Amino acid sequence: MAGHSKWHNIKRRKESQDAKRAKIFTKLSKEIFAAVRESGTDPNTNLRLRMALTKAKAENIPNDNIERTIKKAAGESGSVQYEEITYEGYGPGGAAVMVQALTDNKNRSAADIRHAFTKHGGNLGENGCVSFLFDKKGQLIISRTEDINEDELMLEAIEAGAEEFESDKENFFIQTAPEEFENVKQALEENNFRFSKAEVTMIPQTYAEVTDEHAEKMLKMIDALEDNDDVQSVYHNFEINEEQLSRVAYE
C-alpha cells in the first residue's frame, strides 16, 4: 500500500522540549474541557472525549491533570465557552494549509492566524478553499521493535478493519476510516500493541513540493501556527525530503 512516506514527511522539534510539552498540555486540556462541556464526562458515550483522552495518554499527561480538567469542566457553568473554527489557506509556494482552532475569542484567533500566514508569505483564504484536498482518516503509529512481526501485525490490522498499512525503519503506520478507528485501535490493544500516536486526522490527497526559499518560510509558518495556544491542529500537504531539509537554513 502506498503513501506512508508522505504521511510524516516533516519531523521538526523545537529546542525547548519543556516549553513544547507545556503547549501540548494546554491544548489537550482545552480539548478535554470542550469535550466534557459538549457531551458529558463519560468517554463511553462521548466519542470526542474518548479521542481527547487517547491523545492525552499518548502524550503522558498525568491522570491527576486529566481528572482535574474533567471535574472543572463538569462543575463550571457558562464561565468559559470555546468555539471551534477551521481556517484554510495557502502557504508560501502554494502548499495547502488547514488550521483547527479552539478559542474563547475568535477575533483574537483570526487576527493571530492571519498574521502568521501573512508574515511568512502565505495567504489565508475562504472556507472550503483547500479542505477538499484532504481526507479525514484514523491514523495509528506503532514503534518498530524486534518482538513485532510485521506480517502478523498487518494481518491483524486489516482483519480489524484497517484500510492501509505501511512501515519504515522506525515505525508501522496504520490508516483507517474514521468510523473504524476505535474498532481497529481496540483490537490491536487487546493484542498488546501500544501506539506512539493514535488519532483521527486529515490526510492530504496530493502533496506539494516547493523551493528551498519557500520551504524555509513554510516551516517557520507551521511553527508559528502550532505555537499559538488557540490552535489545536495544523494540517498541510507540504512535502520536503531530507536533502532539501539539509539545505534549508532553518532553526
Side-chain angles (χ1 to χ4, degrees), residues 72-90:
K72 182 178 179 181
E76 292 188 3
S77 57
S79 58
V80 180
Q81 293 291 337
Y82 289 118
E83 183 174 359
E84 292 182 271
I85 306 174
T86 299
Y87 301 91
E88 302 180 34
Y90 294 92

